[in-house]
């Protein structure tokens, strides 16, 4: 009963890498729905249908706990899944809340009323579906007051990364940062609200300048998962099998994953 990590494609590997480093004794099963990526241009029903199918596949692989390492799925499907789909004894978590807890200087799981925080101007970079859902702004409003968020829908970036075209991805990121800075010239913090984007974190940081603190999710999710498993140790079973599943072409996905994580990763068909 390993812990499941799900993404539409390769982006969740940034989270997987961090959780494996933080929790080296926990077996993880990764599932990338590469055949259906990107999710960020799909409507909410489509994202819900794909995300529930992928999560069920991870339950079938022996996971009791699945982390949606995909902001688009977390934004468009998680709440609905938790309210009516997740079977008894299973849990599904997203990647939004740990990031917002860090931004709003809260301890994991602190649900006290919203309060003033130091960071007042926040740039959010995410997929079109995540931006459209306004889920990030909603979660932030539960925890902080007076924070101005300017969101930039970064069309094309996930496709370019999934295709391995990093030159195009970098050019698109620079264009999206420019567009954001025209709307909000002096952000204090920037959120990389898509798990693919940490693969281009340096490009974001350079384009934004040294005065902007860039928050990316991987380490924050790893820390909050460690805390969660500490509180719910029963959700990791005795199973020792880690693995990498993809709905795409395993050879092609393995090569790209190996290139991104700089260690050999072998995917098999989901
Ligand atoms: N990594 C996914 C996310 O965090 C990418 C979504 C997509 O496939 O467009 O949003």
């Amino acid at each position: 009963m390993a812990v499941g990590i799900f993404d539409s494609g390769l982006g969740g590997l940034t989270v997987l890498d961090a959780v494996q480093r933080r929790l080296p004794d926990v077996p993880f099963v990764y599932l990338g729905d590469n055949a259906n990526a990107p999710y960020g241009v799909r409507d909410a029903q489509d994202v819900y249908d794909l995300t529930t199918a992928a999560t069920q596949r991870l339950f079938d692989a022996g996971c009791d706990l699945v982390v949606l390492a995909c902001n688009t799925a977390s934004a468009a499907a998680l709440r609905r899944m938790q309210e009516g789909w997740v079977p008894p004894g299973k849990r599904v978590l997203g990647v939004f809340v740990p990031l917002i807890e860090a931004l709003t200087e809260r301890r994991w799981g602190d649900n006290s009323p919203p309060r003033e925080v130091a960071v007042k101007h926040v740039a959010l970079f995410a997929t079109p579906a995540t931006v459209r859902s306004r889920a990030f702004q909603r979660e932030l409003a539960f925890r902080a007051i007076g924070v101005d968020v300017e969101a930039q829908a970064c069309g094309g970036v996930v496709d370019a990364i999934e295709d391995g075209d990093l030159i195009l991805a970098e050019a698109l990121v620079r264009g999206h940062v420019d567009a954001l800075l025209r709307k909000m010239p002096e952000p204090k913090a920037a959120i990389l609200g898509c798990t693919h984007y940490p693969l281009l974190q340096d490009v974001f940081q350079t384009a934004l300048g040294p005065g902007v603190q860039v928050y990316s999710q991987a380490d924050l999710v790893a820390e909050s998962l460690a805390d969660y498993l500490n509180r719910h140790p029963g959700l990791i079973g005795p199973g020792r099998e880690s693995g990498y599943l993809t709905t795409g072409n395993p050879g092609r996905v393995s090569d790209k994953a190996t290139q991104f994580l700089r260690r050999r990763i072998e995917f098999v068909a989901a």
Side-chain angles (χ1 to χ4, degrees):
M1 273 175 270
V3 173
I5 306 285
F6 163 71
D7 183 41
S8 61
L10 296 164
L13 291 171
T14 59
V15 173
L16 180 77
D17 197 40
V19 296
Q20 282 179 328
R21 269 188 280 110
R22 179 67 182 77
L23 298 160
D25 298 328
V26 175
F28 289 97
V29 180
Y30 185 85
L31 171 57
D33 191 10
N34 302 76
N36 295 304
Y39 280 16
V41 290
R42 295 175 180 275
D43 66 27
Q45 182 63 43
D46 222 2
V47 174
Y48 176 82
D49 292 341
L50 292 168
T51 304
T52 47
T55 303
Q56 185 59 54
R57 178 70 187 83
L58 286 166
F59 289 158
D60 295 343
C63 302
D64 284 347
L65 170 65
V66 171
V67 178
L68 304 184
C70 175
N71 290 272
T72 308
S74 302
L78 179 61
R79 188 175 288 256
R80 190 172 155 199
M81 289 168 76
Q82 287 172 332
E83 281 170 1
W85 181 85
V86 178
K90 306 284 187 191
R91 292 280 192 290
V92 181
L93 303 175
V95 283
F96 261 47
V97 169
L99 185 70
I100 289 169
E101 286 176 336
L103 184 75
T104 55
E105 304 147 32
R106 281 172 185 252
R107 286 182 52 75
W108 312 129
D110 170 358
N111 287 324
S112 58
R115 55 177 184 255
E116 293 247 5
V117 294
V119 180
K120 298 281 188 226
H121 300 284
V122 177
L124 168 67
F125 297 94
T127 66
T130 299
V131 170
R132 206 169 46 236
S133 76
R134 302 183 67 79
F136 176 86
Q137 287 90 328
R138 211 165 35 242
E139 293 293 343
L140 186 65
F142 290 143
R143 295 169 177 82
I145 31 186
V147 182
D148 186 13
V149 178
E150 192 63 61
Q152 178 67 29
C154 299
V157 176
V158 169
D159 306 60
I161 292 173
E162 288 288 316
D163 286 346
D165 189 345
L166 291 186
I167 294 175
L168 173 60
E170 287 178 18
L172 288 169
V173 166
R174 282 192 285 269
H176 288 305
V177 170
D178 263 10
L180 185 288
L181 292 176
R182 280 197 294 275
K183 296 180 282 184
M184 178 183 270
E186 291 188 2
K188 286 288 162 280
I191 304 283
L192 303 189
C194 168
T195 52
H196 282 69
Y197 300 169
L199 295 166
L200 298 167
Q201 181 148 350
D202 294 351
V203 184
F204 276 99
Q205 184 71 72
T206 306
L208 284 160
V212 181
Q213 181 174 3
V214 176
Y215 286 80
S216 82
Q217 285 163 320
D219 290 333
L220 299 170
V221 171
E223 219 31 71
S224 105
L225 180 62
D227 176 70
Y228 187 85
L229 289 175
N230 221 2
R231 287 182 287 119
H232 303 90
L235 286 170
I236 332 173
R240 303 296 313 157
E241 286 295 306
S242 289
Y244 299 87
L245 306 172
T246 176
T247 58
N249 175 317
R252 201 165 163 271
V253 173
S254 301
D255 288 347
K256 294 228 167 60
T258 300
Q259 177 195 344
F260 286 139
L261 291 195
R262 299 193 180 91
R263 58 185 161 90
R264 187 69 204 157
I265 295 200
E266 288 295 345
F267 275 84
V268 298

